[in-house]
Amino acid sequence: AAELPFALVLIGSPVLFSLAHTHHYAEHVKRQSSKTGALAQVAFQVLYTSLFGAYATYVLLRTGSTIAAIAVHMFCNRQGFPDMSVLASDDHRLARFRLVLRALYVSGVVLF
């Protein structure tokens, strides 16, 4: 990576990381039989995995440790994407805490 321009590593790595997740399209089509819905899900997944890929690249470049980047990836995979259904559904068991949860989500993103 020392021979590659820094900007290419910083941008190219997260883009390649996110594009590696496009294989989920076939799974989504099988599950919901809607190509449009599957495309929307994969597009969203590419967006958030590219953001995570940028963070993982930052961790790798900052620490110089592949183990640190792998550990961050393992933690992210274990946690999964936050359940946002509480923000839209009145039937969700945590719906009465919607305002607090919104504030916590926004606070988490800002503090990150």
Side-chain angles (χ1 to χ4, degrees), residues 53-74:
Y55 177 67
T57 301
Y58 170 79
V59 168
L60 177 65
L61 295 176
R62 182 80 171 137
T63 65
S65 170
T66 304
I67 299 297
I70 291 170
V72 166
H73 189 235
M74 288 171 53

Side-chain angles (χ1 to χ4, degrees), residues 24-97:
H24 293 291
Y25 174 77
E27 295 170 22
H28 292 307
V29 169
K30 285 181 187 176
R31 222 178 305 144
Q32 60 184 294
S33 70
S34 165
K35 291 181 180 179
T36 306
L39 186 61
Q41 282 184 310
V42 169
F44 180 69
Q45 188 172 17
V46 165
L47 172 69
Y48 77 77
T49 54
S50 64
L51 293 174
F52 174 77
Y55 177 67
T57 301
Y58 170 79
V59 168
L60 177 65
L61 295 176
R62 182 80 171 137
T63 65
S65 170
T66 304
I67 299 297
I70 291 170
V72 166
H73 189 235
M74 288 171 53
F75 178 78
C76 182
N77 282 350
R78 175 66 182 102
Q79 291 300 107
F81 198 79
D83 180 11
M84 300 288 193
S85 65
V86 66
L87 302 178
S89 172
D90 291 331
D91 298 332
H92 197 284
R93 62 186 174 89
L94 297 175
R96 64 179 177 218
F97 302 110

